[in-house]
């Protein structure tokens, strides 16, 4: 995949937690003149513009990529309007669950001539800090240039991987799309357990956050497998071993994690149409 610089021009529809996180990163990385549709934002640095609705997008604006970052349940009216105005566009969907077939059908229902190329992706909120992890899937009709544009956008805010089957985007959503929430939950639980063991709340918070940061840096920087890093912290008969005996009991984290991820994938499939 070739890198493009500056980043392609975009029309971003949906500037909430996910759209906003990507936008922060893109503004830092350098976007070609772009338009953001947002009902709250008041300004954007030049040469970008914020408008309130698709009807307010200037007639001569032809973005390289339209990013749809609204909730899956709110996508249909947005897609219908986009199909009327930008029927042949490259659409990058970051929406959980919604399949390319269902997104395309919604566009065609609104405009029989519409034939957008739809690439699916699943980013995550660390994109705001340039530390995102995104999975992408492109259907066979996507061109190399369309894939390169989408890759460049998500690579500018973190790492990207491409999957070969559309259904795997649901698995990506369950692991890395939702994944920051699992890590934040662990931070909450460690902090709470620290307080239960007598630590002042501010110290428990600092210890929990600092530990997740340090362990994350090791995972990011070292090629070592996670299980080896874990064993390096675990002296036989020591304190870590006692805690891990509880966490690693078959019905504890191993079973809970598999069941939780399967539940997330199941939910993504419920949102498919
Ligand atoms: N949050 C995550 O960590 C994450 C990770 C990966 C993927 N995603 C995907 O990202 C999408 C958005 O999720 P989110 O968490 O960012 O939700 P969110 O915070 O609710 O953001 C959605 C945004 O879309 C806007 N919107 C809705 N209809 C619109 C319209 N017709 N025109 C312009 N803007 C419109 C909403 O504006 P109003 O406030 O004015 O309604 C809101 O700002 C979802 O499809 C989700 O599956 C999210």
């Amino acid at each position: 995949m070739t890198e493009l610089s500056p980043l392609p021009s975009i029309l971003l529809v949906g500037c909430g937690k996910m759209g906003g996180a990507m936008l922060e990163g893109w503004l830092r990385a350098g976007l070609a003149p772009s338009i953001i549709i947002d009902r709250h934002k008041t300004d954007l640095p030049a040469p970008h513009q914020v408008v309130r609705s698709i009807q307010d997008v200037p007639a001569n604006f032809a973005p390289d990529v339209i990013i749809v970052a609204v909730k899956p349940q709110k996508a249909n009216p947005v897609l219908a309007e986009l199909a009327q105005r930008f029927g042949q566009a490259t659409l990058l969907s970051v929406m959980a669950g919604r399949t390319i077939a269902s997104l395309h059908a919604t566009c065609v229902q609104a405009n029989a001539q519409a034939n957008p190329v739809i690439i699916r992706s699943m980013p995550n909120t660390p994109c705001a800090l340039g530390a995102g992890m995104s999975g992408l899937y492109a259907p066979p009709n996507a061109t190399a240039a369309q894939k390169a544009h989408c890759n460049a956008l998500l690579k500018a805010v973190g790492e990207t991987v491409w999957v070969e089957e559309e259904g795997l985007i649901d698995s990506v959503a369950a692991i890395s799309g939702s994944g920051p929430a699992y890590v934040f939950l662990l931070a909450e639980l460690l902090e709470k357990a620290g307080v239960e063991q007598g630590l002042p709340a501010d110290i428990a918070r600092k210890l929990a956050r600092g530990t997740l940061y340090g362990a994350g840096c090791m995972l990011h920087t070292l090629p070592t497998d996670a299980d080896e890093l874990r064993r390096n912290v675990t002296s036989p008969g020591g304190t870590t071993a006692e805690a891990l005996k509880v966490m690693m009991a078959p019905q504890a984290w191993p079973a809970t994690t598999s069941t939780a991820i399967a539940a997330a994938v199941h939910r993504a499939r419920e949102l498919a149409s």
Side-chain angles (χ1 to χ4, degrees), residues 13-19 37-40 69-72 74 78 94-96 122-125 177:
V13 191
C15 198
K17 290 184 279 296
M18 194 61 248
I37 299 177
D38 188 81
R39 299 189 276 230
H40 316 282
V70 300
K71 294 278 190 207
K74 297 213 170 152
V78 169
V94 307
M95 294 181 287
M122 189 43 57
N124 62 17
T125 52

Side-chain angles (χ1 to χ4, degrees), residues 23-269:
L23 180 63
E24 275 185 48
W26 291 333
L27 290 174
R28 270 201 302 275
L31 273 175
S34 293
I35 295 185
I36 280 56
I37 299 177
D38 188 81
R39 299 189 276 230
H40 316 282
K41 225 179 223 335
T42 48
D43 56 0
L44 269 182
H48 313 298
Q49 279 183 66
V50 58
V51 300
R52 294 283 174 248
S53 70
I54 294 168
Q55 292 95 313
D56 298 331
V57 176
N60 61 353
F61 182 63
D64 293 315
V65 183
I66 297 178
I67 294 120
V68 184
V70 300
K71 294 278 190 207
Q73 304 87 333
K74 297 213 170 152
N76 285 358
V78 169
L79 290 164
E81 271 193 86
L82 287 173
Q84 281 153 12
R85 174 75 192 276
F86 302 98
Q88 313 304 313
T90 306
L91 293 188
L92 176 63
S93 165
V94 307
M95 294 181 287
R98 288 293 303 260
T99 62
I100 291 174
S102 114
L103 300 173
H104 196 273
T106 307
C107 291
V108 172
Q109 224 171 358
N111 170 8
Q113 265 72 55
N115 188 20
V117 169
I118 302 173
I119 292 179
R120 277 185 70 187
S121 69
M122 189 43 57
N124 62 17
T125 52
C127 286
L129 304 181
M133 184 69 243
S134 303
L136 295 107
Y137 168 80
N141 65 333
T143 66
Q146 288 168 321
K147 290 193 265 186
H149 277 140
C150 294
N151 196 62
L153 283 164
L154 290 170
K155 192 89 190 183
V157 289
E159 290 295 323
T160 58
V161 294
W162 287 80
V163 294
E164 296 294 326
E165 285 170 45
E166 183 178 356
L168 291 176
I169 284 288
D170 296 335
S171 312
V172 172
I175 300 295
S176 56
S178 307
Y182 316 149
V183 176
F184 301 142
L185 173 64
L186 183 55
E188 289 172 58
L189 294 176
L190 281 175
E191 190 177 326
K192 180 169 170 285
V195 171
E196 283 164 5
Q197 295 305 322
L199 289 167
D202 58 332
I203 291 186
R205 177 184 168 92
K206 194 164 180 180
L207 292 173
R209 289 178 166 226
T211 301
L212 289 177
Y213 176 73
C217 287
M218 288 181 83
L219 287 167
H220 180 72
T221 311
L222 306 175
T224 320
D225 286 342
D227 68 337
E228 192 180 332
L229 292 171
R230 170 173 54 76
R231 278 197 298 273
N232 290 344
V233 190
T234 317
S235 316
T239 55
T240 311
E242 276 312 293
L244 289 181
K245 228 187 264 174
V246 178
M247 290 169 176
M248 294 177 73
Q251 290 317 307
W253 285 17
T256 306
T257 307
S258 297
T259 308
I261 298 301
V265 171
H266 178 74
R267 179 62 184 143
R269 296 198 175 135

